[in-house]
């Protein structure tokens, strides 16, 4: 039987292109879309192929089909998608049968050490014990005290199964430039500062009347609201995307200046944002300012539209007037993988 590769929908097309480029002799079957094989037809559809591509969403929806095959190997791209061991998605993937398992991730631990356990429970079931045992033995103590001996013990346990690469590794020989980061500080407008201050005052008034658990939830929600105020005041009030935007946010004005500078040099850029509403606002503003279509890649964009956006953005043969001045993206890590 073939091998199975599970990846986010946003990079499915990218995997197809890279496989075609670097392994053109592999026979690839795409299990995706409304016409995908279901039931008993799935196993038959996989016959004669070297690799089957599918997504994390379908790993749960098509659990019956995927578990009906004993795969040669299973590879998870962006394996942090199974970091929560209790989700249906992670549970479905752990039920898959294969002779060999691979997990690809740049962030094996994003928030808690239990995320590492979840990935390893897919790779080598039972190797780190049960989640409860692992939490009692390592997680609680490490997250509370940062005990160097316990950290070293966990590192010794997992190191034999890690294959880590960095771009400076001479064995890779990638011709990549150094990454430069620049921070630009901008002040809040009067409108933003007023909204920010009023929201903080209302928040503290409400926190005094809440339980400890309610306070945690309120603070997390407040962080999101405060970020939106700093992006643009229209986001907090949920104003129409077509609402006036000028001189209401220096954080919006500054990227416009930067895009204009890049346009004058004949370059393109990617703009990442955490919020879909911010992306829609930036998309409209950039299109108004530069008179060119600006694609916006987010979770609701269909796969075919995503691929068309990426191809157009990357096509250096287009005339300058037909090129997108910028590409606005939501969920930056996945979008970046699709665009590089």
């Amino acid at each position: 039987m073939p091998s199975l590769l599970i990846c986010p929908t946003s990079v499915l097309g990218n995997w197809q292109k890279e496989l075609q480029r670097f392994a053109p002799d592999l026979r690839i079957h795409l299990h995706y879309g409304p016409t995908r094989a279901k039931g008993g037809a799935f196993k038959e559809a996989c016959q004669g192929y070297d690799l089957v591509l599918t997504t994390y969403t379908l790993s749960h929806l098509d659990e019956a089909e995927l578990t009906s095959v004993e795969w040669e190997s299973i590879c998870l791209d962006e394996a942090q998608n199974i970091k929560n061991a209790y989700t249906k998605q992670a549970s479905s993937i752990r039920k898959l049968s294969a002779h060999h398992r691979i997990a690809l991730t740049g962030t094996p631990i994003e928030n808690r050490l239990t995320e590492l356990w979840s990935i390893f429970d897919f790779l080598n079931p039972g190797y780190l014990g049960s989640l409860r045992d692992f939490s009692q033995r390592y997680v609680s103590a490490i997250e509370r005290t940062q005990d160097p001996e316990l950290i070293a013990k966990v590192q010794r346990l997992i190191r034999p199964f890690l294959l880590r690469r960095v771009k400076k590794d001479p064995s890779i020989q990638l011709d990549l430039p150094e990454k430069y980061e620049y921070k630009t500080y901008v002040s809040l407008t009067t409108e933003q500062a007023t909204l920010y201050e009023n929201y903080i005052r209302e928040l503290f008034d409400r926190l005094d009347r809440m339980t400890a658990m309610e306070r945690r939830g309120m603070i997390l929600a407040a962080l999101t609201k405060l970020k939106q105020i700093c992006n643009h005041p229209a986001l907090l009030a949920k104003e129409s995307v077509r609402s006036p935007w000028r001189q209401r946010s220096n954080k919006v004005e500054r990227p416009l200046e930067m895009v204009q500078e890049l346009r004058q040099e004949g370059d393109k850029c990617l703009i990442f944002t955490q919020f879909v509403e911010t992306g829609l606002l930036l998309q409209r503003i950039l299109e108004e300012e530069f008179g060119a279509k600006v694609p916006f890649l987010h979770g609701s964009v269909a796969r075919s539209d995503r691929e068309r956006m990426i191809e157009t953005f990357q096509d250096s043969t287009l005339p300058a007037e037909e090129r997108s001045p910028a590409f606005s993206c939501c969920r930056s890590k996945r979008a970046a993988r699709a665009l590089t």
Side-chain angles (χ1 to χ4, degrees), residues 5 29 84 101 118 122-123 130 143 157 179 182 184 194 209 213 224 242 290 298 308 315 319 325:
L5 190 145
H29 174 65
N84 187 341
R101 301 183 180 209
S118 185
F122 159 75
L123 291 171
S130 68
E143 292 183 350
L157 285 171
K179 181 173 71 173
Y182 298 95
T184 300
T194 302
R209 301 187 295 271
M213 185 60 70
T224 297
R242 309 301 303 179
F290 302 113
H298 53 85
R308 186 162 53 250
D315 190 353

Side-chain angles (χ1 to χ4, degrees), residues 158-340:
I158 67 174
R159 187 172 290 118
F161 305 99
L162 298 183
L163 179 63
R164 184 168 182 259
R165 287 287 184 266
V166 295
K167 70 178 186 180
K168 292 183 179 180
D169 191 330
S171 64
I172 299 179
Q173 297 181 343
L174 293 178
D175 186 20
L176 295 175
E178 290 296 323
K179 181 173 71 173
Y180 294 99
E181 295 184 2
Y182 298 95
K183 294 181 180 179
T184 300
Y185 296 93
V186 294
S187 59
L188 297 177
T189 61
T190 302
E191 180 185 9
Q192 286 175 300
T194 302
L195 288 171
Y196 197 101
E197 181 66 24
N198 290 341
Y199 191 88
I200 290 291
R201 289 179 179 175
E202 291 176 7
L203 174 65
F204 279 103
D205 289 341
R206 297 172 65 183
L207 288 177
D208 292 337
R209 301 187 295 271
M210 293 181 176
T211 64
M213 185 60 70
E214 288 174 334
R215 281 198 295 270
R216 293 191 186 99
M218 178 60 70
I219 290 171
L220 287 174
L223 290 174
T224 297
K225 295 293 185 182
L226 294 173
K227 288 180 182 178
Q228 290 176 320
I229 293 173
C230 292
N231 283 348
H232 197 282
L235 301 175
L236 181 68
K238 298 188 181 299
E239 298 176 14
S240 167
V241 173
R242 309 301 303 179
S243 63
W245 60 270
R246 289 186 179 279
Q247 298 179 341
R248 299 179 67 188
S249 170
N250 294 327
K251 193 174 179 182
V252 169
E253 296 281 357
R254 179 56 185 142
L256 283 176
E257 297 173 1
M258 297 169 71
V259 173
Q260 183 62 52
E261 293 168 4
L262 288 169
R263 290 262 287 173
Q264 292 173 354
E265 296 176 5
D267 291 332
K268 296 180 288 187
C269 67
L270 305 179
I271 301 175
F272 297 105
T273 177
Q274 182 180 356
F275 306 107
V276 173
E277 294 82 2
T278 303
L280 292 171
L281 179 68
L282 289 172
Q283 182 185 37
R284 192 258 296 183
I285 291 171
L286 289 165
E287 288 180 344
E288 285 182 359
E289 289 296 298
F290 302 113
K293 187 172 178 58
V294 176
F296 177 35
L297 193 158
H298 53 85
S300 299
V301 176
R303 175 175 157 265
S304 57
D305 293 334
R306 293 171 187 237
E307 294 180 7
R308 186 162 53 250
M309 288 180 183
I310 295 168
E311 288 176 2
T312 302
F313 183 76
Q314 293 180 332
D315 190 353
S316 59
T317 63
L318 288 174
E321 62 272 11
E322 296 182 22
R323 298 177 195 165
S324 301
F327 199 122
S328 186
C329 306
C330 206
R331 305 193 69 169
S332 60
K333 282 186 289 188
R334 293 184 185 179
R337 283 291 303 276
L339 290 162
T340 55

